[in-house]
Amino acid sequence: MTRGVALLGSTGSIGTTALRVLDRHRDRFRVTGLTAFTNESILAEQVRAFAPSYIGLVRNGTATHAGWCHGESCLVDAASRDDADIVVNAVVGSVGLRATLAALERGKRVALANKESLVMGGSLVTAAAARGGGEIVPIDSEHSAILQCIGTRPVSEVRRIVLTASGGPFRDWSADRIANATPEQTLRHPTWQMGPKITVDSATLANKALEVIEAHYLFGIPYERIDVVVHPQSIVHSFVEFIDGSVVAQLGAPSMELPILYALTYPDRVSDTGVPTFDPVARSPLTFEAVRHDEFPALRLGIEAGRAGGAAPAVFNAANEQAVALYLDGRIRFGDIARSIGGALEALVGAASGSLDAILHADTEARRHVKEQLGC
Ligand code: MG
């Protein structure tokens, strides 16, 4: 029996990689649903290759495709269908939250690449999983590493987790130079091939802040036991330190194929021809550095938002999304991204967070605040 997989965000970087993995494992999985944001020509090709029963395009396309669904609601529709056992949520940004909640409520596995789901709605997501019997298995490479390192041990045996960060393209730049980095410089990531939003987040280290919050909710580990270290080679995907002092790490080439495959087959491992054999000599040396918090203030802002809880993580996430969009449009400087996140967090401190509506309201307010603050 094959397991049905609905893939949300199928034309993005994670989506296309997931389809390469699924294509190699057609004996185990069948693609039951595909949704894309705007890229209808790639989606049409994928539909021909995988013949899903559900096809959704979030933004209305130019051509008419018989049987395709349109609009943002297609994400929840695709995630809710009975023929999907696993929902791969590879949507970029806060629009992914509703689909994660819907899938968990229906008892499905969510292979989660949309970290915003947990950052914005951590406690709602955890509650939906408990109610519906669904489970989240992370696709993010650091969280997949932590899951693999912890294995079957209880979290009470974990003293600390250490997330690795590549440090991005400006790891050793001066603060002045970073503040004026162009989008072209920002999008040249040294180790990972990713979509533009997460590549900017990797350069500001906002991505690592999102991942700290994500780790907190995924593993139920308090913030004071989550650390970040810069590891420019992106080979060690994270460390887990246990209470006896033993440290376990997970290593591999910087490719998303393994974390995607593991999220689909967890807790089993299956043989796969797409993941290359690891060569420690070729990958030497592996180095580690402390985070330069003063040069990369978005990381600390995000961790503080996580610790503050309530709507603060959602505000952090939305302010960042808005600022990154303005930056990629060439309307603000790189240094304005962290500054506008800080402004939004201050302005919206104490915003309500008790329901999905309250969180989505905080999200809208944070975006509005960033635009007003920057005069955009
Ligand atoms: Mg990551």
Side-chain angles (χ1 to χ4, degrees), residues 2 4 31-32 55 58 63 101 114 124 131 146 152 174 209 214 217-218 242 265 277 282 325 327 330 334 349 370:
T2 55
V31 176
T32 59
I55 305 144
V58 173
L101 292 171
N114 176 256
L124 296 176
R131 258 196 318 272
I146 294 162
T152 56
S174 70
E214 189 185 2
Y217 284 112
L218 270 175
F242 290 90
T265 64
T277 301
Y327 172 70
F334 189 84
V349 70
V370 167

Side-chain angles (χ1 to χ4, degrees), residues 115 140-142 207 211:
K115 53 192 85 183
D140 215 340
S141 61
E142 294 79 358
N207 180 56
E211 291 183 354

Side-chain angles (χ1 to χ4, degrees), residues 145-146 148-151 153 157-164 227 229 236-251 288:
I146 294 162
Q148 295 179 59
C149 292
I150 293 179
R153 304 314 304 165
E157 288 183 5
V158 174
R159 180 191 285 166
R160 190 170 65 114
I161 61 183
V162 183
L163 298 172
T164 52
D227 286 335
V229 69
V236 175
H237 297 311
S238 279
F239 300 95
V240 173
E241 183 177 277
F242 290 90
I243 47 174
D244 59 1
S246 181
V247 179
V248 178
Q250 188 263 343
L251 288 75
F288 302 93

Side-chain angles (χ1 to χ4, degrees), residues 142-143 146 158-165 208-209 211-213 215-216 221-231 237-241 289-291 293 299 303 307:
E142 294 79 358
H143 305 79
I146 294 162
V158 174
R159 180 191 285 166
R160 190 170 65 114
I161 61 183
V162 183
L163 298 172
T164 52
K208 212 47 57 176
E211 291 183 354
V212 167
I213 300 170
H216 167 76
I221 293 178
Y223 287 102
E224 58 271 21
R225 284 158 53 195
I226 306 174
D227 286 335
V228 176
V229 69
V230 173
H231 169 45
H237 297 311
S238 279
F239 300 95
V240 173
E241 183 177 277
E289 301 165 14
V291 173
H293 281 285
L299 176 57
I303 295 173
R307 284 175 183 264

